[in-house]
Amino acid sequence: MRGSRGTRSVGSTFRRNTLIGVAAVVVLLVVVDVVLVAMAMARTAPGSFGTPGPVPTFGRTDTATPSATPDASASAQAAATASARRLLSAVAGREAWRASSATCSDAQVVLEHTVDGGATWSPVAVGDDVRALWGMRATTAGLSVLEGVGEGCTQQERTSTDGGATWKDATPGASGAAITPAGVRLGSTVVENPCPEPVDAFAGDRTSVVVCDGQLEWRTRGSAWVDVPLGGVRGIAVDGDTYTLARIGTSSCDGVQIETMPAMDVSPATRTTPIGCNDVTTDGPIAIDRVGDTVWMWAGSDVAVSANGGATW
């Protein structure tokens, strides 16, 4: 009986000690787990590494956005005030020059060149002392301009044969007809204005014409002016023995109507022939030029080109 009680006592003691050991291990594991959780929370606490860096992007390298090149139309249009004039001279169906300037006191001069039919325009430097552009004529050989230079806006005529990179003195009259503060320049001669406020002018080898408000003034070399009643003309170009006119306010066109009229034997009864209509704004100055069947028109902020004499645009 004693032996049996002694055996039970040893087994009970062993089980009790085992349970105590397991409990101690469990407690230790719980303590370790609590410590690890606390450390993990400390590592992920907001602001533990200062200000977060930028989120990386993949598959693209961000570079500075290039500043847009000012639209040639807008930059030239900036000079088109109420007193401004526009000059447009075409070389071919794809190449042309245009210029805009106000008065000598304003000194807002813009000169631009296109070789892609007017889709884009490249600015051309004319010099810091140039205060006005009064006349311009482009040919396959180069560009000639009549300028007002310096504080006194002194008349100067120059030619460039390298796209405006360099300039030299021009042959007198190379820049064509021009409307200047001193009068209308026809070739190399300045004559008194035939009307109070000329709009445009053209001088050929035999005839000259000045666009006025309400009429055209035409003459042969050295003769008296012939008054041709014709309202709404805003620009003029020539094709052989025919003038091409840009006209507004007609009953058949809400924009700018292209008309032609003879350049020879003009009289007050001379009539024009409507050719086509360009549905553009009629506000502000309008300039046109013609090379063969190609007609260029600068109206509003756009330059349009017609390949069939102005019939369609």
Side-chain angles (χ1 to χ4, degrees):
M1 296 295 293
R2 288 179 183 172
S4 298
R5 287 195 296 267
T7 301
R8 289 196 299 268
S9 177
V10 171
S12 298
T13 301
F14 176 77
R15 286 194 299 271
R16 184 171 60 252
N17 292 338
T18 299
L19 291 174
I20 292 172
V22 170
V25 170
V26 170
V27 171
L28 178 62
L29 291 176
V30 170
V31 171
V32 170
D33 186 59
V34 171
V35 171
L36 291 176
V37 170
M39 291 176 64
M41 293 180 64
R43 287 177 179 268
T44 58
S48 60
F49 290 100
T51 303
V55 177
T57 58
F58 303 94
R60 183 188 69 187
T61 301
D62 287 331
T63 58
T65 303
S67 57
T69 301
D71 183 84
S73 303
S75 59
Q77 187 73 2
T81 62
S83 60
R85 290 194 65 242
R86 289 179 170 181
L87 306 174
L88 181 63
S89 187
V91 178
R94 303 284 293 173
E95 182 181 6
W97 295 78
R98 69 179 182 179
S100 179
S101 72
T103 62
C104 290
S105 58
D106 291 335
Q108 299 179 29
V109 178
V110 175
L111 176 63
E112 295 171 316
H113 183 213
T114 182
V115 293
D116 56 11
T120 59
W121 293 85
S122 301
V124 178
V126 294
D128 295 336
D129 58 342
V130 177
R131 304 187 64 82
L133 284 179
W134 296 319
M136 180 175 69
R137 176 182 287 171
T139 67
T140 55
L143 174 73
S144 297
V145 294
L146 182 66
E147 308 164 321
V149 179
E151 292 299 325
C153 220
T154 304
Q155 181 175 295
Q156 173 179 282
E157 196 167 19
R158 297 189 299 166
T159 294
S160 176
T161 57
D162 54 12
T166 61
W167 297 87
K168 62 182 180 181
D169 291 340
T171 301
S175 59
I179 298 174
T180 76
V184 179
R185 187 173 186 266
L186 303 175
S188 59
T189 305
V190 176
V191 302
E192 184 180 354
N193 291 337
C195 57
E197 295 183 1
V199 176
D200 200 1
F202 173 82
D205 294 334
R206 294 172 292 173
T207 66
S208 300
V209 62
V210 177
V211 177
C212 301
D213 185 14
Q215 78 269 9
L216 301 181
E217 297 293 339
W218 176 91
R219 76 176 191 177
T220 57
R221 186 184 298 274
S223 64
W225 291 104
V226 175
D227 187 357
V228 183
L230 189 64
V233 179
R234 292 295 178 266
I236 190 166
V238 69
D239 178 34
D241 292 335
T242 303
Y243 292 131
T244 299
L245 311 175
R247 191 179 181 195
I248 65 174
T250 66
S251 59
S252 57
C253 177
D254 291 333
V256 179
Q257 181 162 286
I258 295 297
E259 302 180 3
T260 60
M261 65 172 283
M264 301 297 296
D265 301 322
V266 174
S267 72
T270 298
R271 295 292 178 260
T272 63
T273 302
I275 302 298
C277 178
N278 188 9
D279 188 16
V280 293
T281 180
T282 59
D283 295 333
I286 298 169
I288 65 168
D289 199 17
R290 180 167 186 159
V291 180
D293 289 334
T294 302
V295 179
W296 293 67
M297 180 187 297
W298 184 11
S301 60
D302 299 318
V303 172
V305 181
S306 169
N308 53 9
T312 59
W313 297 84

